[in-house]
Amino acid sequence: MNFPYLEIEGSPREIGFQQGEHFKEQIQRSIDCYKQMFLDYSDLEWDRAKELSRRFIPVITEYNNDYLEEMWGIAEGSGFDFEDILALNCRSELVFVGKEFDKMDGGCTSIGISSDAGKEGNAYLAHNWDWKTSQRSAMIMMKIRQRNGKPTIFMVTEAGIIGKTGFNSAGICLYLNALSTDQAPTGLPLHMAMRGILDCETLAEAVKAATRMPLGCCANFMLGHKNGECIDLEIENDDFDVLYPKDGILVHTNHFLSPRLPNAPRKDTTKYKLTDSFVRLGRADKLMRRKKTEITHEDIMEVLADHVEYPCSICRHDDLKVDPGLRMGTVFSMVADLTSGDIYFCKGNPCECEYEKYHI
């Protein structure tokens, strides 16, 4: 059985209230996870994190005040403080407060298949999200019908966070791969940019939504559209680059691929922390190119379950030799058929669990 699923409709405040009301237990688990993570990684107490999160209110207001309204709704529906919800939505930026960011581990593998390589001209976007496996108990799935004129969104997220992995009714699909440099950026929380992307209708709009304000973290966004195209957007500090599929296949993991990024004198630090990123990238790319054309969602699922370099493989498992607080594994796997609107979703490792089918 997959993560709990809810269909929501309304204004931003109403949408947030329904999430908060239905997922109180999962929101508590999200708070518990990041409360401990902030201590482990940054020696940051939760109350201090809540206080620091208020610094992001002006930039979120400038970006889209509806997102603050939705967070207020979650707080009202769940009974948690607004600052609890705000801190969850700024959690990637708050960890930079600490001095031991180099302890971070884990990574994700994203695959884009444009209509050039998909069977019968279908296009796909696929992803293994690797993070703390304890967060499986905090994950939720929602179909959000917005009354503000924005697209309907199928979203998979950590409870309490309003922007994450998703596929919208306009045909935009989005995945995140973590990136970092040796200089912590400052700006818009990346989960706000993710929601901004999912409120778009075209790939060009999505690139603009992700880059019109500086991000508070480096990030890689893999994007696909029902029109059959896929792109990859790398963002670092004050610049970005866009990568395009080669022969219809696009793969990204957790290091910069653009020859123009990061800008000197900054350095890519994920490639030092996540050396498995190189093997996962090469392995996924090679396996997909063996398929050449006529690629199906089953072919992609087979690659996402690959165990070469286990446990730090494409299908990632907790490494029992690593401190429990630093272990990472595949939290979920998702394959979106951009052409048909079908979503194949798997809770946990794809080598162990079956994919269930949804539709945008």
Side-chain angles (χ1 to χ4, degrees):
M1 181 179 292
N2 272 329
F3 305 128
Y5 175 78
L6 179 69
E7 297 195 3
I8 299 174
E9 183 173 356
S11 67
R13 196 94 169 204
E14 291 168 340
I15 287 168
F17 187 91
Q18 290 169 71
Q19 184 191 153
E21 185 177 42
H22 283 83
F23 295 123
K24 294 177 186 178
E25 190 175 318
Q26 288 82 5
I27 292 171
Q28 181 65 66
R29 291 171 184 160
S30 284
I31 292 171
D32 291 343
C33 172
Y34 291 108
K35 184 182 293 186
Q36 188 61 51
M37 177 180 162
F38 289 169
L39 281 174
D40 290 344
Y41 286 38
S42 302
D43 198 24
L44 179 66
E45 297 282 350
W46 184 251
D47 284 345
R48 177 60 176 157
K50 289 167 63 174
E51 181 183 340
L52 290 172
S53 71
R54 296 192 64 83
R55 297 180 182 178
F56 294 96
I57 290 177
V59 69
I60 298 172
T61 301
E62 182 181 351
Y63 187 73
N64 192 329
N65 191 60
D66 281 353
Y67 299 162
L68 285 175
E69 282 291 303
E70 193 164 325
M71 284 184 247
W72 272 109
I74 294 172
E76 291 166 353
S78 64
F80 290 101
D81 292 342
F82 168 72
E83 288 79 7
D84 285 317
I85 306 305
L86 183 62
L88 287 177
N89 282 274
C90 303
R91 55 94 161 162
S92 298
E93 291 68 31
L94 289 170
V95 79
F96 277 110
V97 172
K99 298 179 180 178
E100 298 189 50
F101 188 69
D102 62 330
K103 281 188 177 180
M104 292 194 73
D105 194 4
C108 308
T109 303
S110 297
I111 299 170
I113 305 296
S114 72
S115 56
D116 306 87
K119 186 174 182 179
E120 298 179 354
N122 281 31
Y124 301 92
L125 213 71
H127 183 72
N128 277 359
W129 188 54
D130 304 337
W131 192 227
K132 296 179 178 297
T133 54
S134 60
Q135 273 300 82
R136 290 173 186 162
S137 66
M139 300 300 297
I140 59 173
M141 306 166 73
M142 298 179 289
K143 182 176 282 188
I144 304 170
R145 296 184 175 90
Q146 306 184 86
R147 289 189 190 148
N148 58 4
K150 300 296 184 181
T152 294
I153 302 171
F154 175 91
M155 186 185 295
V156 184
T157 188
E158 299 164 279
I161 296 180
I162 69 166
K164 202 74 175 179
T165 296
F167 190 14
N168 75 18
S169 58
I172 292 282
C173 188
L174 163 68
Y175 301 124
L176 168 71
N177 297 71
L179 294 175
S180 66
T181 68
D182 54 355
Q183 178 181 328
T186 58
L188 181 74
L190 72 86
H191 288 95
M192 299 302 97
M194 294 182 78
R195 179 55 176 271
I197 290 170
L198 290 172
D199 278 343
C200 292
E201 297 186 3
T202 68
L203 291 173
E205 288 177 6
V207 172
K208 185 174 290 186
T211 60
R212 68 180 176 89
M213 297 179 71
L215 285 190
C217 282
C218 298
N220 182 79
F221 298 132
M222 185 170 280
L223 305 167
H225 196 278
K226 67 180 180 182
N227 63 16
E229 297 298 333
C230 305
I231 60 172
D232 193 87
L233 175 61
E234 291 185 348
I235 303 176
E236 70 96 19
N237 297 70
D238 54 7
D239 205 355
F240 72 92
D241 201 3
V242 177
L243 309 174
Y244 201 69
K246 181 180 179 181
D247 299 324
I249 297 171
L250 182 64
V251 177
H252 207 288
T253 50
N254 298 102
H255 59 281
F256 285 93
L257 299 181
S258 168
R260 292 178 286 276
L261 298 178
N263 286 325
R266 293 187 291 271
K267 294 182 179 180
D268 179 350
T269 53
T270 41
K271 70 180 183 181
Y272 294 98
K273 294 179 289 188
L274 303 177
T275 51
D276 57 87
S277 178
F278 296 98
V279 182
R280 287 185 286 113
L281 178 81
R283 181 74 179 164
D285 186 73
K286 177 174 70 174
L287 293 176
M288 291 313 315
R289 292 188 188 282
R290 281 181 182 170
K291 310 290 183 182
K292 294 183 179 178
T293 58
E294 303 294 302
I295 293 171
T296 67
H297 66 271
E298 289 96 346
D299 293 329
I300 300 169
M301 290 173 186
E302 183 179 334
V303 174
L304 292 174
D306 187 70
H307 280 153
V308 166
E309 291 282 296
Y310 180 95
C312 299
S313 41
I314 295 172
C315 181
R316 193 182 190 102
H317 293 256
D318 284 333
D319 186 348
L320 301 182
K321 298 189 296 292
V322 173
D323 183 278
L326 301 178
R327 291 175 188 168
M328 305 286 170
T330 297
V331 177
F332 69 79
S333 181
M334 175 172 159
V335 181
D337 185 329
L338 302 172
T339 307
S340 69
D342 291 330
I343 300 158
Y344 302 91
F345 191 86
C346 168
K347 171 185 176 180
N349 291 90
C351 67
E352 299 172 342
C353 306
E354 295 291 327
Y355 287 83
E356 295 182 13
K357 188 174 178 180
Y358 299 83
H359 190 82
I360 184 57

